[in-house]
Amino acid sequence: MIPGIGALAQDTLWCFSQVKGTIEIGATEADIISTVEFNHTGELLATGDKGGRVVIFQREQESKNQVHRRGEYNVYSTFQSHEPEFDYLKSLEIEEKINKIRWLPQQNAAYFLLSTNDKTVKLWKVSERDKRPEGYNLKDEEGRLRDPATITTLRVPVLRPMDLMVEATPRRVFANAHTYHINSISVNSDYETYMSADDLRINLWNFEITNQSFNIVDIKPANMEELTEVITAAEFHPHHCNSFVYSSSKGTIRLCDMRASALCDRHSKFFEEPEDPSNRSFFSEIISSISDVKFSHSGRYIMTRDYLTVKVWDLNMENRPIETYQVHDYLRSKLCSLYENDCIFDKFECVWNGSDSVIMTGSYNNFFRMFDRNTKRDVTLEASRENSKPRAILKPRKVCVGGKRRKDEISVDSLDFSKKILHTAWHPSENIIAVAATNNLYIFQDKVN
């Protein structure tokens, strides 16, 4: 177990660390954060937004004279990853919004990450430069080409120190392989391949080959009128490069093995919880759609998020989840109005902590939830600028349904559904979490930190 991570969600005192972003009044649609991801060491944290930008934050080294400032994340690099495009064949605008970011493990001094919008995946290299060559033979000091006839002596170029510069360069562009919108990318544990998934197909790519991918799942029916479900998320197993899972809008999860056949139309395992007929309603199908699926770090479990719950499945048991956590059960009575304002189609993500003992997911009113798998305790916390004093301890929040409201509770009728926590990330080895609230990135850490 990772030290300090096995602590219970309830017993861990979370305190405010930082908030990045402008105050919401001045925010534009392009500023809204659409994905958050720590790299494998947790030293870097990347966000993507609806304007197609990627912002990378780097954790500061601890300084001896400012111990309390340990681990602040500051802007390391900002770059425009995707631009708006127009598909003339289909007369479709392609948004620049970043749907997902995935880091590759660091192999050398540079960092590599994948980012995707609806159609195109890009591999970015982020590297530092603190020296520049001086003493060119064929160019003058201004960089203009010299007349070769005037060159009488040859110089040995030297490297001179310069101010540190962080450069982001696109190394590969993987395009034209998806008819529908890409909802997931996942890097394989062999670090040679990755997959991208859209509503009906999943493609396998080699990092070195940009002009072709291999279609490993295709659920598109011959007649589109017979379409009953779509793919909502997909992820590779963390240790076995031949296995992956994908979830569907029908609330099912399929585990596929690429050793069995090249086209994984037949799954090797099928996870589905039988529906309770007494709970059936008009909204049953919509709220059972899975918006996120994640393998545990150990690879033994998968976690899925649907509209009202988070479920943990054991890979060895397909007929029902081993754990079900109610995220905001008090919204059951509000499904009608949530359908009218389209909130019922919100896609919430879920994350594991470093030791797979606590899970976190978002809710409305800038609330996010943590569930401790060992003690079965849970806590609701809020990301807001009101209690954003440094080291301020987050007070657990409670939502009351009907009856008398206590002083520190909030009524279900006064929840703000425009403020929603869809994207969260957990540091791979410490109790540090990043929570995206509209256009703000909140970073919280435990009191011990």
Side-chain angles (χ1 to χ4, degrees):
M1 186 172 286
I2 298 162
I5 272 265
L8 315 176
Q10 192 76 12
D11 301 345
T12 304
L13 285 175
W14 289 94
C15 57
F16 172 83
S17 176
Q18 295 167 262
V19 59
K20 303 281 186 188
T22 52
I23 294 169
E24 279 155 26
I25 303 160
T28 63
E29 178 82 1
D31 296 328
I32 294 174
I33 298 172
S34 52
T35 183
V36 186
E37 193 79 11
F38 279 102
N39 75 339
H40 292 255
T41 60
E43 289 306 299
L44 297 181
L45 171 63
T47 65
D49 65 24
K50 287 192 172 182
R53 290 179 300 258
V54 171
V55 181
I56 300 174
F57 300 93
Q58 185 181 44
R59 195 175 181 188
E60 295 293 313
Q61 298 302 315
E62 186 175 359
S63 60
K64 289 201 165 60
N65 50 356
Q66 289 182 305
V67 181
H68 67 282
R69 293 208 29 152
R70 170 173 176 241
E72 278 217 347
Y73 284 86
N74 289 319
V75 175
Y76 177 63
S77 174
T78 304
F79 57 93
Q80 189 72 29
S81 172
H82 288 69
E83 303 277 357
E85 291 172 56
F86 192 78
D87 183 337
Y88 291 97
L89 289 174
K90 298 198 182 75
S91 294
L92 271 181
E93 278 188 48
I94 300 165
E95 286 185 3
E96 65 271 42
K97 173 190 165 211
I98 308 291
N99 291 343
K100 286 282 184 287
I101 288 173
R102 290 288 177 264
W103 289 92
L104 276 69
Q106 195 178 357
Q107 308 287 353
N108 51 31
Y111 302 101
F112 287 88
L113 60 89
L114 286 173
S115 65
T116 184
N117 67 350
D118 286 341
K119 297 288 180 191
T120 306
V121 184
K122 294 185 181 181
L123 174 68
W124 289 89
K125 176 186 180 182
V126 181
S127 54
E128 296 182 358
R129 238 186 29 188
D130 60 355
K131 292 185 178 68
R132 66 164 185 266
E134 268 184 20
Y136 289 104
N137 288 297
L138 300 176
K139 292 178 184 170
D140 63 16
E141 300 308 323
E142 306 296 313
R144 291 185 296 260
L145 281 174
R146 288 164 62 187
D147 178 5
T150 63
I151 300 171
T152 53
T153 57
L154 291 180
R155 298 185 288 179
V156 177
V158 289
L159 288 173
R160 296 244 188 268
M162 58 177 258
D163 290 343
L164 179 69
M165 214 165 90
V166 181
E167 292 178 314
T169 45
R171 297 308 301 266
R172 306 265 188 285
V173 177
F174 306 88
N176 307 325
H178 285 277
T179 311
Y180 307 96
H181 291 176
I182 299 173
N183 55 44
S184 308
I185 46 176
S186 177
V187 178
N188 201 346
S189 57
D190 61 10
Y191 305 132
E192 288 179 13
T193 54
Y194 76 91
M195 69 179 173
S196 55
D198 66 25
D199 293 348
L200 299 179
R201 297 193 180 102
I202 300 176
N203 292 333
L204 181 69
W205 299 84
N206 186 301
F207 278 111
E208 299 302 319
I209 302 166
T210 58
N211 59 352
Q212 67 183 97
S213 60
F214 193 79
N215 181 224
I216 49 175
V217 172
D218 187 348
I219 64 165
K220 185 181 178 185
N223 178 5
M224 279 296 269
E225 285 173 9
E226 291 165 14
L227 182 70
T228 56
E229 64 179 333
V230 293
I231 298 166
T232 55
E235 188 175 64
F236 269 119
H237 190 284
H239 313 301
H240 305 311
C241 60
N242 51 280
S243 298
F244 66 93
V245 292
Y246 68 91
S247 58
S248 88
S249 55
K250 275 194 164 174
T252 61
I253 309 112
R254 291 170 175 83
L255 177 76
C256 299
D257 188 337
M258 293 191 286
R259 294 171 303 187
S261 73
L263 188 62
C264 301
D265 280 358
R266 289 200 196 88
H267 45 266
S268 47
K269 288 194 175 181
F270 183 74
F271 301 86
E272 182 178 31
E273 187 172 25
E275 192 189 16
D276 179 1
S278 63
N279 272 348
R280 178 135 190 93
S281 75
F282 169 75
F283 304 109
S284 295
E285 239 173 70
I286 304 173
I287 62 173
S288 66
S289 174
I290 292 172
S291 54
D292 197 15
V293 60
K294 291 265 173 49
F295 269 105
S296 61
H297 295 83
S298 66
R300 169 75 189 269
Y301 305 102
I302 41 181
M303 164 169 62
T304 58
R305 169 75 209 254
D306 56 42
Y307 191 65
L308 294 176
T309 65
V310 173
K311 292 173 180 157
V312 177
W313 304 75
D314 189 314
L315 281 190
N316 302 328
M317 191 165 90
E318 298 168 59
N319 59 343
R320 61 189 169 86
I322 53 167
E323 297 158 28
T324 300
Y325 301 99
Q326 300 295 337
V327 178
H328 35 217
D329 205 41
Y330 45 79
L331 295 183
R332 242 175 235 285
S333 59
K334 295 241 169 292
L335 292 176
C336 207
S337 53
L338 289 164
Y339 177 75
E340 284 165 7
N341 65 14
D342 276 357
C343 283
I344 202 165
F345 302 107
D346 284 334
K347 292 177 169 53
F348 291 95
E349 293 170 11
C350 51
V351 288
W352 302 88
N353 72 341
S355 63
D356 301 333
S357 59
V358 183
I359 54 189
M360 171 171 68
T361 191
S363 180
Y364 292 103
N365 209 68
N366 279 0
F367 288 169
F368 57 99
R369 306 268 283 133
M370 287 186 188
F371 302 95
D372 191 304
R373 297 182 58 213
N374 299 325
T375 62
K376 300 294 180 260
R377 292 203 239 162
D378 63 89
V379 65
T380 303
L381 301 170
E382 183 183 7
S384 82
R385 283 184 178 265
E386 274 70 83
N387 48 10
S388 57
K389 293 185 183 71
R391 320 296 293 154
I393 292 174
L394 300 187
K395 291 193 187 79
R397 302 300 308 259
K398 285 215 164 41
V399 177
C400 77
V401 186
K404 255 184 87 180
R405 187 168 69 86
R406 294 214 191 105
K407 181 168 70 89
D408 54 348
E409 289 183 338
I410 180 167
S411 157
V412 69
D413 296 316
S414 54
L415 293 175
D416 186 344
F417 291 106
S418 68
K419 293 182 173 177
K420 46 192 105 168
I421 305 285
L422 301 175
H423 316 286
T424 56
W426 201 308
H427 188 290
S429 58
E430 292 180 45
N431 274 337
I432 298 174
I433 55 174
V435 172
T438 325
N439 61 316
N440 287 297
L441 179 71
Y442 288 86
I443 297 172
F444 303 106
Q445 43 180 271
D446 64 358
K447 193 77 177 125
V448 190
N449 257 328

